[in-house]
Amino acid sequence: MTTKSSNITRNAHLVTLAERVDRNGHGAGVLWFTGLPGSGKSTITEKLELRLFDAGYQVSVVDNATVRKGLSFDLGFSHDDRTENIRRAGEASALLARAGRIVLSGFISPYQSDRDNARKAIGDGFHEVYLSANADVCAERDAERMYEKANAGIIPEFTGVSAPYEKPQSPELVIDTETLAVDETIDLLVGYVEQNFQHP
Amino acid sequence: MTTKSSNITRNAHLVTLAERVDRNGHGAGVLWFTGLPGSGKSTITEKLELRLFDAGYQVSVVDNATVRKGLSFDLGFSHDDRTENIRRAGEASALLARAGRIVLSGFISPYQSDRDNARKAIGDGFHEVYLSANADVCAERDAERMYEKANAGIIPEFTGVSAPYEKPQSPELVIDTETLAVDETIDLLVGYVEQNFQHP
């Protein structure tokens, strides 16, 4: 990689999002995946990232494991701390989206108000994607037996068992992960991205 | 932008940093600009971003104004809060670098320990760049007359006046912004990036 001649000058300005979008050949924004534990957030964001990357997109995943180890390292699991965790996740997703990327953010994010705050932080290009599956189905898939531990009271305040999940009021997309296979879900999402993140 | 055939399958894995670097044609990492208020951090990161963007790099600026309005919205200016602000700035920079980007992070970040924590969060690819200029020179450039207000006690705990600045102990790069013009500085930094962020 070499730089262009330093004789080419233009007035200093900030690199705009439109210029980044032009460079990348696709729009930027956030697909915010919300749903119960076991609804498929990790599986879907990882597989979708791979598909989109292979198709040439500038794409990133932001997930709870990463955020909890880094940005939210200082936070616990009280209601306030969970809200703050989602706030930071929203801001981090916004930074990546403003860099021209498609961001796949996967968080239980059980409260509508927290998701609405993420929407505000990100602005245009925020897409709330609800991975719909009831707790019984999620518990069946649960290789780490978290639902079992939550039902036994070993894990307190577990979303879907002992803590509430507020279903999205007006998500951009609902995916029924009870009936759709993972591959079908990914195909559907790739189509959604192609349609909604076209180069303008 | 169209996706490749969904018949092309490969084993699911996470998109690696090496794959992102291959895609972008350059290495990823963080240039962490530290220095007194008025040492040139904003001017230099903005102009450098533009030059690198025009040369084809995937590049982002992370600056204090943006972080304070977003990720660090809840923080004040106590020593602890400043440390936490830099911690989050380091984590945010790390997220962008892991996405394959060159990140230009500009923060006074007066404490060596805070900068060392950013280095740890980011790992390989962290470059501490010290913008060296003494407080008198910085005060002369200060269009917002912050130094004057700090000297008058109107702004408390102002780095370089009433709060300490710890010079970097072993920065990757020192730039004397007292003697180098901005354009010379940018040329030097573009050369540094070409040398240190080559595609492997």
Side-chain angles (χ1 to χ4, degrees):
Chain A
M1 168 140 306
T2 55
T3 56
K4 288 178 185 166
S5 165
S6 61
N7 295 323
I8 298 170
T9 55
R10 58 171 172 166
N11 289 334
H13 75 95
L14 303 179
V15 179
T16 64
L17 180 56
E19 287 175 306
R20 299 183 194 278
V21 163
D22 275 350
R23 167 72 51 82
N24 294 342
H26 60 77
V30 176
L31 297 187
W32 187 278
F33 293 88
T34 173
L36 289 174
S39 59
K41 295 179 298 298
S42 299
T43 303
I44 288 167
T45 52
E46 287 175 11
K47 284 182 185 283
L48 180 58
E49 179 182 46
L50 202 57
R51 274 281 293 278
L52 293 176
F53 181 84
D54 283 353
Y57 289 88
Q58 290 281 343
V59 58
S60 290
V61 166
V62 179
D63 63 17
N64 197 49
T66 305
V67 170
R68 281 281 181 181
K69 272 182 273 187
L71 268 177
S72 293
F73 182 74
D74 55 320
L75 298 176
F77 293 88
S78 68
H79 189 141
D80 280 359
D81 277 8
R82 285 174 198 243
T83 289
E84 174 64 9
N85 179 51
I86 296 302
R87 191 189 72 79
R88 294 186 198 171
E91 294 289 353
S93 302
L95 281 178
L96 287 158
R98 280 182 223 129
R101 309 182 68 77
I102 293 179
V103 186
L104 313 177
S105 301
F107 292 86
I108 299 171
S109 49
Y111 298 105
Q112 186 65 50
S113 58
D114 291 347
R115 296 190 300 262
D116 288 346
N117 284 336
R119 183 186 292 273
K120 274 179 218 150
I122 290 151
D124 288 345
F126 181 89
H127 299 252
E128 191 174 3
V129 182
Y130 174 37
L131 300 184
S132 170
N134 77 44
D136 291 342
V137 172
C138 293
E140 276 171 34
R141 294 176 185 156
D142 176 13
E144 295 169 50
R145 299 168 69 188
M146 292 185 299
Y147 275 88
E148 204 178 307
K149 289 176 197 162
N151 276 310
I154 299 168
I155 305 177
E157 295 199 68
F158 188 83
T159 302
V161 174
S162 44
Y165 179 81
E166 298 175 0
K167 288 184 185 171
Q169 286 163 4
S170 47
E172 274 74 8
L173 189 61
V174 180
I175 296 175
D176 181 350
T177 70
E178 287 186 28
T179 57
L180 268 188
V182 171
D183 284 352
E184 292 171 310
T185 299
I186 302 299
D187 286 345
L188 184 158
L189 284 163
V190 168
Y192 184 85
V193 167
E194 286 173 350
Q195 200 159 19
N196 288 277
F197 293 86
Q198 274 176 13
H199 185 260
Chain B
M1 168 143 302
T2 55
T3 56
K4 289 177 185 166
S5 165
S6 61
N7 295 323
I8 297 170
T9 56
R10 55 173 174 166
N11 289 334
H13 74 93
L14 303 178
V15 179
T16 65
L17 180 56
E19 286 174 306
R20 299 184 194 277
V21 163
D22 276 351
R23 166 73 51 83
N24 294 342
H26 60 77
V30 176
L31 297 187
W32 186 277
F33 293 88
T34 173
L36 290 174
S39 59
K41 296 179 297 298
S42 298
T43 304
I44 289 167
T45 52
E46 287 175 12
K47 284 181 186 282
L48 180 58
E49 180 182 46
L50 202 57
R51 274 281 293 278
L52 293 176
F53 182 84
D54 283 353
Y57 289 88
Q58 290 280 343
V59 57
S60 289
V61 166
V62 179
D63 62 18
N64 197 49
T66 305
V67 170
R68 281 281 180 181
K69 272 182 273 186
L71 267 177
S72 293
F73 182 75
D74 55 320
L75 298 176
F77 293 89
S78 68
H79 189 141
D80 280 0
D81 277 8
R82 285 174 198 244
T83 289
E84 174 64 8
N85 180 50
I86 297 302
R87 190 189 73 78
R88 294 186 198 171
E91 295 288 354
S93 301
L95 280 179
L96 287 158
R98 279 183 225 129
R101 309 182 69 77
I102 294 180
V103 186
L104 313 178
S105 302
F107 292 86
I108 299 172
S109 50
Y111 297 106
Q112 186 65 50
S113 58
D114 291 347
R115 296 190 301 261
D116 288 346
N117 283 337
R119 184 185 291 274
K120 272 179 219 152
I122 290 151
D124 288 346
F126 181 89
H127 298 253
E128 191 175 2
V129 182
Y130 174 38
L131 300 183
S132 169
N134 76 44
D136 292 342
V137 171
C138 292
E140 277 171 33
R141 294 176 185 157
D142 176 13
E144 294 170 51
R145 299 169 69 189
M146 291 185 298
Y147 275 89
E148 204 178 306
K149 288 175 197 164
N151 276 310
I154 299 166
I155 304 177
E157 295 199 67
F158 189 83
T159 302
V161 174
S162 44
Y165 179 80
E166 297 174 0
K167 288 183 186 171
Q169 286 163 4
S170 46
E172 274 74 8
L173 189 61
V174 180
I175 296 175
D176 182 350
T177 70
E178 287 187 27
T179 57
L180 268 188
V182 171
D183 284 351
E184 293 171 308
T185 299
I186 301 299
D187 286 344
L188 185 158
L189 284 163
V190 169
Y192 184 85
V193 166
E194 285 174 350
Q195 200 158 19
N196 288 277
F197 292 85
Q198 275 175 12
H199 185 258

